[in-house]
Amino acid sequence: MVDGALRACRVDPDLHLLLVGPSEVADEIIHALPPYDRARVAVRGARRAVAMADAPASGGRADTTVRSAAAAVAEGHADAMTSAGPSGAVVTAAVLGFGRMPGIRRPALAATLPAAHGPVLLLDVGASIEASPTTLVQHGLLGVAYATAVLGVPAPRLGLLSIGTEPGKGDHPRRAADLALAERALPGAARYAGLVEGYEIATGELADVVVTDGFTGNVLLKGVEGVYGSTASDETPPRAAALLGVGGTVVVCHGAASGADLASGIALAADLHRRAATAAMCALIGDAHE
Amino acid sequence: MVDGALRACRVDPDLHLLLVGPSEVADEIIHALPPYDRARVAVRGARRAVAMADAPASGGRADTTVRSAAAAVAEGHADAMTSAGPSGAVVTAAVLGFGRMPGIRRPALAATLPAAHGPVLLLDVGASIEASPTTLVQHGLLGVAYATAVLGVPAPRLGLLSIGTEPGKGDHPRRAADLALAERALPGAARYAGLVEGYEIATGELADVVVTDGFTGNVLLKGVEGVYGSTASDETPPRAAALLGVGGTVVVCHGAASGADLASGIALAADLHRRAATAAMCALIGDAHE
């Protein structure tokens, strides 16, 4: 945490950090900064961290760091939040703090992966484990809105992850979502590219956005991270994901995030805020609903 | 097909091939072989191939190549079968041809992946899309029996793929299968290592066998194949998987298998037959049931 916060301050001279946690940790960060930089860091004391084994609802408890961070954003003391806590607890805290975007029932975590034909946005990578057709469709909308507003893809192609590309492949939620996506208007200039297979996240040949349920997406992201790690590739997927579908800017870092991972998560949150990504996505999704 | 069959014959001088398909394709293979090798190849005519878009039940039609191949094994004209047809159709044909192993309701496709701490067996990679606790447990038994009998792992560690390692992580089938596996006797000297995450298939740190449902396994295998392909790694997962849980030796190659992939699928089938893998797995699973 300390290393990540220091790196983020060093890289981005316009960044101000509000550290939410035990004050002795915050003090360590402040004292490691050059004196003229110390004014860029403030502290919001909170002692109770949500552990990986805790229920997601723990993120709703007022005394937790994650809920306190969401409250700081909701109250205007911060513009965005980054957490390396359990994603379920971050989702709970974010929904309680900022509410959901109109028309979105469940938020989704979206990770940007390197691919041969340009980056691929994979979602949901673990905000929920539900695989209903409604959620898959809503997450598809969130994904293409993010690709348009943040990744700068003018006409994102949306693929639905399944186990074959012929219509009718996959389980019931996939088949139903495939039919629903083929029929509906997508945000901006996005179009539905149909069913795609696992290869797609490494090639990006058919889709810029790949939507799946949070169980499959989480397993796939970690499997791919494992392979990138073992092949000593230059390309490594960032260990930070944007939480989409809530009314504020939230980035979730990996529970085992290094300082570099955390700094890139903080940088992503700052970038999303500066682009006003949440408002842009809301507008794109609102237009598609009309 | 032609290239794969020729490669397989070249590599394994003791191999005899029974080609099941249109006779003109078989003739092409026979004529490409040196005259003294031609006696190693025989033909069983069958014209109807099952297409990727066909329903899995098509594998039950008597006039299809895949059903004819299973019948050839069941009748004793061949010892094992390899197919690059749709896996659903191969499963149907294999179950009709050989029946299931005692105590196994659904067969599983198992792929051996390269990993840092030694190979990891991943199953099911697409024989079914069901994710019931019963199926996950049965596939776990099949996986450790295969690791013992075929991969030569003396005491395989079985991991259940989920989205966190703390007990209680994952959806209902995972939570129920986790409790069931923790309580039950496993074949041979295998032990249950608990929940594992996606990284495991690249590290093999906690488990030698990773069990998951066929949807997640298929997506994960293809995602990992995509990444290995894009990183130009020396390690590439074999594009052939063993069908476990049926009363005969069956290998399924990728629908887009190259000649080399097909040859390695044929070699895997020959190896499984020579090791009497099906009988050895049956015995290991039978002992664990007692």
Side-chain angles (χ1 to χ4, degrees):
Chain A
M1 290 291 163
V2 175
D3 180 43
L6 291 174
R7 280 170 185 251
C9 284
R10 216 174 300 133
V11 170
D12 182 351
D14 295 328
L15 183 75
H16 289 248
L17 278 183
L18 176 64
L19 301 163
V20 183
S23 56
E24 62 272 20
V25 178
D27 287 346
E28 196 184 336
I29 295 172
I30 291 169
H31 287 106
L33 283 168
Y36 57 87
D37 260 350
R38 289 180 190 164
R40 291 166 58 200
V41 178
V43 181
R44 183 177 171 114
R47 299 215 68 85
R48 192 186 188 91
V50 178
M52 284 294 164
D54 292 345
S58 316
R61 293 185 52 152
D63 60 346
T64 59
T65 52
V66 69
R67 182 82 179 89
S68 180
V73 176
E75 293 158 10
H77 302 302
D79 294 317
M81 70 179 271
T82 299
S83 171
S87 49
V90 180
V91 172
T92 302
V95 167
L96 289 172
F98 319 133
R100 298 174 182 87
M101 279 188 191
I104 302 297
R105 202 175 51 176
R106 288 176 189 275
L109 274 169
T112 307
L113 298 171
H117 294 259
V120 168
L121 188 76
L122 175 67
L123 79 168
D124 174 23
V125 297
S128 77
I129 52 169
E130 202 214 33
S132 76
T134 308
T135 299
L136 289 168
V137 169
Q138 291 179 2
H139 288 180
L141 303 186
L142 287 171
V144 294
Y146 186 89
T148 305
V150 177
L151 302 181
V153 182
R157 300 159 302 163
L158 172 64
L160 174 63
L161 193 60
S162 192
I163 55 172
T165 54
E166 301 81 12
K169 286 277 170 173
D171 53 9
H172 167 71
R174 269 21 92 152
R175 292 199 302 272
D178 182 41
L179 293 174
L181 284 168
E183 278 178 1
R184 103 183 285 309
L186 295 181
R191 72 171 180 83
Y192 179 54
L195 300 175
V196 297
E197 296 181 88
Y199 318 113
E200 199 54 35
I201 53 141
T203 63
E205 196 179 340
L206 307 170
D208 305 295
V209 177
V210 171
V211 67
T212 191
D213 64 282
F215 185 91
T216 307
N218 185 279
V219 162
L220 179 59
L221 177 66
K222 289 173 178 169
V224 162
E225 278 181 7
V227 174
Y228 275 112
S230 71
T231 57
S233 165
D234 294 339
E235 299 263 44
T236 48
R239 298 177 81 169
L243 185 66
L244 309 185
V246 293
T249 304
V250 183
V251 168
V252 178
C253 288
H254 205 282
S258 67
D261 295 332
L262 215 88
S264 75
I266 294 170
L268 175 59
D271 182 52
L272 293 176
H273 170 70
R274 286 167 181 152
R275 290 168 183 272
T278 304
M281 288 177 60
C282 265
L284 281 162
I285 289 177
D287 285 348
H289 274 292
E290 275 161 20
Chain B
M1 290 291 164
V2 175
D3 180 42
L6 290 175
R7 280 170 186 251
C9 284
R10 217 175 298 132
V11 169
D12 182 351
D14 296 328
L15 183 74
H16 289 248
L17 279 183
L18 176 63
L19 302 164
V20 183
S23 55
E24 62 272 21
V25 178
D27 287 346
E28 195 184 335
I29 295 172
I30 291 169
H31 286 105
L33 283 168
Y36 57 89
D37 260 350
R38 288 179 190 165
R40 291 166 58 198
V41 179
V43 181
R44 184 177 170 115
R47 301 215 69 84
R48 190 184 189 92
V50 178
M52 284 294 165
D54 292 344
S58 315
R61 293 185 53 154
D63 60 345
T64 59
T65 51
V66 70
R67 182 80 179 90
S68 180
V73 177
E75 294 158 8
H77 302 303
D79 294 317
M81 70 179 271
T82 298
S83 171
S87 49
V90 180
V91 173
T92 303
V95 168
L96 290 173
F98 319 134
R100 298 173 181 87
M101 278 188 193
I104 302 298
R105 201 174 52 176
R106 288 177 189 274
L109 274 169
T112 307
L113 298 171
H117 295 259
V120 168
L121 188 75
L122 175 67
L123 80 168
D124 173 21
V125 297
S128 76
I129 52 169
E130 204 215 32
S132 77
T134 308
T135 298
L136 289 167
V137 169
Q138 290 178 3
H139 288 179
L141 303 186
L142 287 171
V144 293
Y146 186 89
T148 305
V150 177
L151 302 181
V153 182
R157 299 160 302 163
L158 172 64
L160 175 63
L161 193 60
S162 193
I163 55 173
T165 54
E166 300 80 12
K169 285 277 171 173
D171 53 9
H172 166 71
R174 267 23 89 153
R175 293 198 302 272
D178 182 40
L179 293 174
L181 283 168
E183 279 179 0
R184 111 182 278 310
L186 295 181
R191 71 172 180 84
Y192 179 54
L195 300 175
V196 297
E197 296 181 88
Y199 317 112
E200 200 53 36
I201 53 140
T203 64
E205 196 179 339
L206 306 170
D208 306 294
V209 177
V210 171
V211 67
T212 191
D213 65 282
F215 186 91
T216 307
N218 185 279
V219 162
L220 179 59
L221 177 65
K222 288 172 178 168
V224 162
E225 278 182 5
V227 173
Y228 276 112
S230 71
T231 56
S233 166
D234 294 338
E235 299 265 43
T236 49
R239 298 177 81 169
L243 184 66
L244 309 185
V246 293
T249 304
V250 183
V251 168
V252 178
C253 288
H254 205 282
S258 67
D261 295 331
L262 215 88
S264 75
I266 294 170
L268 175 58
D271 182 51
L272 293 176
H273 170 69
R274 286 167 181 152
R275 289 169 183 272
T278 305
M281 289 176 60
C282 265
L284 281 162
I285 290 177
D287 286 347
H289 274 293
E290 275 161 21

